[in-house]
mmCIF file with all atom_site columns, all heavy atoms in Angstrom:
data_model
loop_
_atom_site.group_PDB
_atom_site.id
_atom_site.type_symbol
_atom_site.label_atom_id
_atom_site.label_alt_id
_atom_site.label_comp_id
_atom_site.label_asym_id
_atom_site.label_entity_id
_atom_site.label_seq_id
_atom_site.pdbx_PDB_ins_code
_atom_site.Cartn_x
_atom_site.Cartn_y
_atom_site.Cartn_z
_atom_site.occupancy
_atom_site.B_iso_or_equiv
_atom_site.pdbx_formal_charge
_atom_site.auth_seq_id
_atom_site.auth_comp_id
_atom_site.auth_asym_id
_atom_site.auth_atom_id
_atom_site.pdbx_PDB_model_num
ATOM 1   N N   . VAL A 1 12  ? 135.632 106.622 97.953  1.00 76.00 ? 12  VAL A N   1
ATOM 2   C CA  . VAL A 1 12  ? 134.751 107.784 98.086  1.00 76.00 ? 12  VAL A CA  1
ATOM 3   C C   . VAL A 1 12  ? 133.618 107.437 99.033  1.00 76.00 ? 12  VAL A C   1
ATOM 4   O O   . VAL A 1 12  ? 132.999 106.386 98.923  1.00 76.00 ? 12  VAL A O   1
ATOM 5   C CB  . VAL A 1 12  ? 134.164 108.190 96.702  1.00 76.00 ? 12  VAL A CB  1
ATOM 6   C CG1 . VAL A 1 12  ? 133.192 109.340 96.854  1.00 76.00 ? 12  VAL A CG1 1
ATOM 7   C CG2 . VAL A 1 12  ? 135.278 108.543 95.747  1.00 76.00 ? 12  VAL A CG2 1
ATOM 8   N N   . VAL A 1 14  ? 130.014 107.329 100.438 1.00 88.00 ? 14  VAL A N   1
ATOM 9   C CA  . VAL A 1 14  ? 128.716 107.394 99.768  1.00 88.00 ? 14  VAL A CA  1
ATOM 10  C C   . VAL A 1 14  ? 127.584 107.767 100.719 1.00 88.00 ? 14  VAL A C   1
ATOM 11  O O   . VAL A 1 14  ? 126.498 108.113 100.283 1.00 88.00 ? 14  VAL A O   1
ATOM 12  C CB  . VAL A 1 14  ? 128.376 106.061 99.057  1.00 88.00 ? 14  VAL A CB  1
ATOM 13  C CG1 . VAL A 1 14  ? 129.350 105.796 97.924  1.00 88.00 ? 14  VAL A CG1 1
ATOM 14  C CG2 . VAL A 1 14  ? 128.360 104.899 100.040 1.00 88.00 ? 14  VAL A CG2 1
ATOM 15  N N   . PRO A 1 25  ? 109.796 103.958 118.465 1.00 98.00 ? 25  PRO A N   1
ATOM 16  C CA  . PRO A 1 25  ? 108.579 104.022 119.289 1.00 98.00 ? 25  PRO A CA  1
ATOM 17  C C   . PRO A 1 25  ? 108.074 102.646 119.694 1.00 98.00 ? 25  PRO A C   1
ATOM 18  O O   . PRO A 1 25  ? 107.169 102.539 120.518 1.00 98.00 ? 25  PRO A O   1
ATOM 19  C CB  . PRO A 1 25  ? 107.575 104.720 118.362 1.00 98.00 ? 25  PRO A CB  1
ATOM 20  C CG  . PRO A 1 25  ? 108.041 104.397 116.982 1.00 98.00 ? 25  PRO A CG  1
ATOM 21  C CD  . PRO A 1 25  ? 109.541 104.262 117.045 1.00 98.00 ? 25  PRO A CD  1
ATOM 22  N N   . CYS A 1 27  ? 110.392 99.616  120.373 1.00 98.00 ? 27  CYS A N   1
ATOM 23  C CA  . CYS A 1 27  ? 111.224 98.912  121.355 1.00 98.00 ? 27  CYS A CA  1
ATOM 24  C C   . CYS A 1 27  ? 112.095 99.846  122.186 1.00 98.00 ? 27  CYS A C   1
ATOM 25  O O   . CYS A 1 27  ? 112.752 99.412  123.128 1.00 98.00 ? 27  CYS A O   1
ATOM 26  C CB  . CYS A 1 27  ? 112.098 97.863  120.662 1.00 98.00 ? 27  CYS A CB  1
ATOM 27  S SG  . CYS A 1 27  ? 113.473 98.578  119.725 1.00 98.00 ? 27  CYS A SG  1
ATOM 28  N N   . LYS A 1 61  ? 133.617 107.902 90.000  1.00 70.00 ? 61  LYS A N   1
ATOM 29  C CA  . LYS A 1 61  ? 133.985 108.071 91.409  1.00 70.00 ? 61  LYS A CA  1
ATOM 30  C C   . LYS A 1 61  ? 133.447 106.964 92.291  1.00 70.00 ? 61  LYS A C   1
ATOM 31  O O   . LYS A 1 61  ? 134.122 106.442 93.162  1.00 70.00 ? 61  LYS A O   1
ATOM 32  C CB  . LYS A 1 61  ? 133.429 109.406 91.914  1.00 70.00 ? 61  LYS A CB  1
ATOM 33  C CG  . LYS A 1 61  ? 134.347 110.557 91.617  1.00 70.00 ? 61  LYS A CG  1
ATOM 34  C CD  . LYS A 1 61  ? 133.904 111.740 92.422  1.00 70.00 ? 61  LYS A CD  1
ATOM 35  C CE  . LYS A 1 61  ? 134.926 112.850 92.316  1.00 70.00 ? 61  LYS A CE  1
ATOM 36  N NZ  . LYS A 1 61  ? 134.422 114.070 92.917  1.00 70.00 ? 61  LYS A NZ  1
ATOM 37  N N   . GLU A 1 85  ? 109.023 110.447 107.928 1.00 95.00 ? 85  GLU A N   1
ATOM 38  C CA  . GLU A 1 85  ? 107.945 111.333 108.393 1.00 95.00 ? 85  GLU A CA  1
ATOM 39  C C   . GLU A 1 85  ? 106.858 110.553 109.135 1.00 95.00 ? 85  GLU A C   1
ATOM 40  O O   . GLU A 1 85  ? 106.057 111.137 109.867 1.00 95.00 ? 85  GLU A O   1
ATOM 41  C CB  . GLU A 1 85  ? 107.351 112.134 107.216 1.00 95.00 ? 85  GLU A CB  1
ATOM 42  C CG  . GLU A 1 85  ? 106.619 111.327 106.148 1.00 95.00 ? 85  GLU A CG  1
ATOM 43  C CD  . GLU A 1 85  ? 107.525 110.787 105.051 1.00 95.00 ? 85  GLU A CD  1
ATOM 44  O OE1 . GLU A 1 85  ? 108.740 110.607 105.307 1.00 95.00 ? 85  GLU A OE1 1
ATOM 45  O OE2 . GLU A 1 85  ? 107.010 110.514 103.947 1.00 95.00 ? 85  GLU A OE2 1
ATOM 46  N N   . ILE A 1 106 ? 112.036 89.544  112.061 1.00 97.00 ? 106 ILE A N   1
ATOM 47  C CA  . ILE A 1 106 ? 113.438 89.166  111.823 1.00 97.00 ? 106 ILE A CA  1
ATOM 48  C C   . ILE A 1 106 ? 113.500 87.818  111.095 1.00 97.00 ? 106 ILE A C   1
ATOM 49  O O   . ILE A 1 106 ? 114.261 87.643  110.145 1.00 97.00 ? 106 ILE A O   1
ATOM 50  C CB  . ILE A 1 106 ? 114.224 89.142  113.162 1.00 97.00 ? 106 ILE A CB  1
ATOM 51  C CG1 . ILE A 1 106 ? 114.300 90.581  113.716 1.00 97.00 ? 106 ILE A CG1 1
ATOM 52  C CG2 . ILE A 1 106 ? 115.616 88.547  112.981 1.00 97.00 ? 106 ILE A CG2 1
ATOM 53  C CD1 . ILE A 1 106 ? 114.851 90.712  115.119 1.00 97.00 ? 106 ILE A CD1 1
ATOM 54  N N   . PHE A 1 125 ? 120.822 94.461  99.559  1.00 96.00 ? 125 PHE A N   1
ATOM 55  C CA  . PHE A 1 125 ? 120.028 93.492  100.332 1.00 96.00 ? 125 PHE A CA  1
ATOM 56  C C   . PHE A 1 125 ? 119.241 94.185  101.450 1.00 96.00 ? 125 PHE A C   1
ATOM 57  O O   . PHE A 1 125 ? 118.035 93.983  101.583 1.00 96.00 ? 125 PHE A O   1
ATOM 58  C CB  . PHE A 1 125 ? 120.936 92.409  100.944 1.00 96.00 ? 125 PHE A CB  1
ATOM 59  C CG  . PHE A 1 125 ? 121.695 91.632  99.917  1.00 96.00 ? 125 PHE A CG  1
ATOM 60  C CD1 . PHE A 1 125 ? 123.046 91.868  99.701  1.00 96.00 ? 125 PHE A CD1 1
ATOM 61  C CD2 . PHE A 1 125 ? 121.060 90.672  99.142  1.00 96.00 ? 125 PHE A CD2 1
ATOM 62  C CE1 . PHE A 1 125 ? 123.743 91.161  98.729  1.00 96.00 ? 125 PHE A CE1 1
ATOM 63  C CE2 . PHE A 1 125 ? 121.753 89.958  98.174  1.00 96.00 ? 125 PHE A CE2 1
ATOM 64  C CZ  . PHE A 1 125 ? 123.106 90.204  97.963  1.00 96.00 ? 125 PHE A CZ  1
ATOM 65  N N   . LYS A 1 151 ? 102.304 101.263 101.412 1.00 98.00 ? 151 LYS A N   1
ATOM 66  C CA  . LYS A 1 151 ? 102.579 99.845  101.162 1.00 98.00 ? 151 LYS A CA  1
ATOM 67  C C   . LYS A 1 151 ? 102.799 99.619  99.667  1.00 98.00 ? 151 LYS A C   1
ATOM 68  O O   . LYS A 1 151 ? 103.712 98.885  99.266  1.00 98.00 ? 151 LYS A O   1
ATOM 69  C CB  . LYS A 1 151 ? 101.401 98.971  101.615 1.00 98.00 ? 151 LYS A CB  1
ATOM 70  C CG  . LYS A 1 151 ? 101.308 98.791  103.117 1.00 98.00 ? 151 LYS A CG  1
ATOM 71  C CD  . LYS A 1 151 ? 100.111 97.922  103.457 1.00 98.00 ? 151 LYS A CD  1
ATOM 72  C CE  . LYS A 1 151 ? 99.966  97.777  104.955 1.00 98.00 ? 151 LYS A CE  1
ATOM 73  N NZ  . LYS A 1 151 ? 99.300  96.524  105.330 1.00 98.00 ? 151 LYS A NZ  1
ATOM 74  N N   . SER A 1 154 ? 106.131 101.068 98.618  1.00 98.00 ? 154 SER A N   1
ATOM 75  C CA  . SER A 1 154 ? 107.227 100.242 99.128  1.00 98.00 ? 154 SER A CA  1
ATOM 76  C C   . SER A 1 154 ? 107.342 98.932  98.351  1.00 98.00 ? 154 SER A C   1
ATOM 77  O O   . SER A 1 154 ? 108.450 98.480  98.046  1.00 98.00 ? 154 SER A O   1
ATOM 78  C CB  . SER A 1 154 ? 107.023 99.937  100.617 1.00 98.00 ? 154 SER A CB  1
ATOM 79  O OG  . SER A 1 154 ? 106.897 101.138 101.348 1.00 98.00 ? 154 SER A OG  1
ATOM 80  N N   . LEU A 1 156 ? 106.427 98.482  95.264  1.00 98.00 ? 156 LEU A N   1
ATOM 81  C CA  . LEU A 1 156 ? 106.951 98.821  93.932  1.00 98.00 ? 156 LEU A CA  1
ATOM 82  C C   . LEU A 1 156 ? 108.466 99.025  93.976  1.00 98.00 ? 156 LEU A C   1
ATOM 83  O O   . LEU A 1 156 ? 109.211 98.484  93.147  1.00 98.00 ? 156 LEU A O   1
ATOM 84  C CB  . LEU A 1 156 ? 106.267 100.091 93.419  1.00 98.00 ? 156 LEU A CB  1
ATOM 85  C CG  . LEU A 1 156 ? 106.782 100.644 92.084  1.00 98.00 ? 156 LEU A CG  1
ATOM 86  C CD1 . LEU A 1 156 ? 106.522 99.667  90.935  1.00 98.00 ? 156 LEU A CD1 1
ATOM 87  C CD2 . LEU A 1 156 ? 106.142 102.003 91.766  1.00 98.00 ? 156 LEU A CD2 1
ATOM 88  N N   . CYS A 1 183 ? 103.003 92.357  91.782  1.00 95.00 ? 183 CYS A N   1
ATOM 89  C CA  . CYS A 1 183 ? 101.586 92.013  91.945  1.00 95.00 ? 183 CYS A CA  1
ATOM 90  C C   . CYS A 1 183 ? 101.030 92.615  93.233  1.00 95.00 ? 183 CYS A C   1
ATOM 91  O O   . CYS A 1 183 ? 99.913  93.125  93.259  1.00 95.00 ? 183 CYS A O   1
ATOM 92  C CB  . CYS A 1 183 ? 101.395 90.497  91.970  1.00 95.00 ? 183 CYS A CB  1
ATOM 93  S SG  . CYS A 1 183 ? 101.795 89.729  90.404  1.00 95.00 ? 183 CYS A SG  1
ATOM 94  N N   . ALA A 1 194 ? 90.750  103.275 95.353  1.00 93.00 ? 194 ALA A N   1
ATOM 95  C CA  . ALA A 1 194 ? 89.414  102.997 95.902  1.00 93.00 ? 194 ALA A CA  1
ATOM 96  C C   . ALA A 1 194 ? 89.219  103.740 97.226  1.00 93.00 ? 194 ALA A C   1
ATOM 97  O O   . ALA A 1 194 ? 88.192  104.386 97.440  1.00 93.00 ? 194 ALA A O   1
ATOM 98  C CB  . ALA A 1 194 ? 89.243  101.494 96.105  1.00 93.00 ? 194 ALA A CB  1
ATOM 99  N N   . LEU A 1 213 ? 112.568 108.891 93.773  1.00 93.00 ? 213 LEU A N   1
ATOM 100 C CA  . LEU A 1 213 ? 112.948 109.962 94.693  1.00 93.00 ? 213 LEU A CA  1
ATOM 101 C C   . LEU A 1 213 ? 113.120 111.306 94.010  1.00 93.00 ? 213 LEU A C   1
ATOM 102 O O   . LEU A 1 213 ? 112.988 112.355 94.625  1.00 93.00 ? 213 LEU A O   1
ATOM 103 C CB  . LEU A 1 213 ? 114.270 109.605 95.386  1.00 93.00 ? 213 LEU A CB  1
ATOM 104 C CG  . LEU A 1 213 ? 114.288 108.252 96.085  1.00 93.00 ? 213 LEU A CG  1
ATOM 105 C CD1 . LEU A 1 213 ? 115.707 107.871 96.448  1.00 93.00 ? 213 LEU A CD1 1
ATOM 106 C CD2 . LEU A 1 213 ? 113.418 108.310 97.326  1.00 93.00 ? 213 LEU A CD2 1
ATOM 107 N N   . LYS A 1 289 ? 88.486  90.481  73.958  1.00 86.00 ? 289 LYS A N   1
ATOM 108 C CA  . LYS A 1 289 ? 87.113  90.327  73.455  1.00 86.00 ? 289 LYS A CA  1
ATOM 109 C C   . LYS A 1 289 ? 87.067  89.333  72.297  1.00 86.00 ? 289 LYS A C   1
ATOM 110 O O   . LYS A 1 289 ? 86.071  88.645  72.091  1.00 86.00 ? 289 LYS A O   1
ATOM 111 C CB  . LYS A 1 289 ? 86.545  91.680  73.012  1.00 86.00 ? 289 LYS A CB  1
ATOM 112 C CG  . LYS A 1 289 ? 86.014  92.509  74.177  1.00 86.00 ? 289 LYS A CG  1
ATOM 113 C CD  . LYS A 1 289 ? 85.463  93.834  73.691  1.00 86.00 ? 289 LYS A CD  1
ATOM 114 C CE  . LYS A 1 289 ? 84.954  94.669  74.864  1.00 86.00 ? 289 LYS A CE  1
ATOM 115 N NZ  . LYS A 1 289 ? 84.800  96.092  74.457  1.00 86.00 ? 289 LYS A NZ  1
#
Side-chain angles (χ1 to χ4, degrees):
V12 177
V14 295
C27 74
K61 275 194 171 171
E85 66 273 25
I106 294 171
F125 300 104
K151 284 180 182 207
S154 304
L156 175 64
C183 294
L213 306 167
K289 279 180 181 163

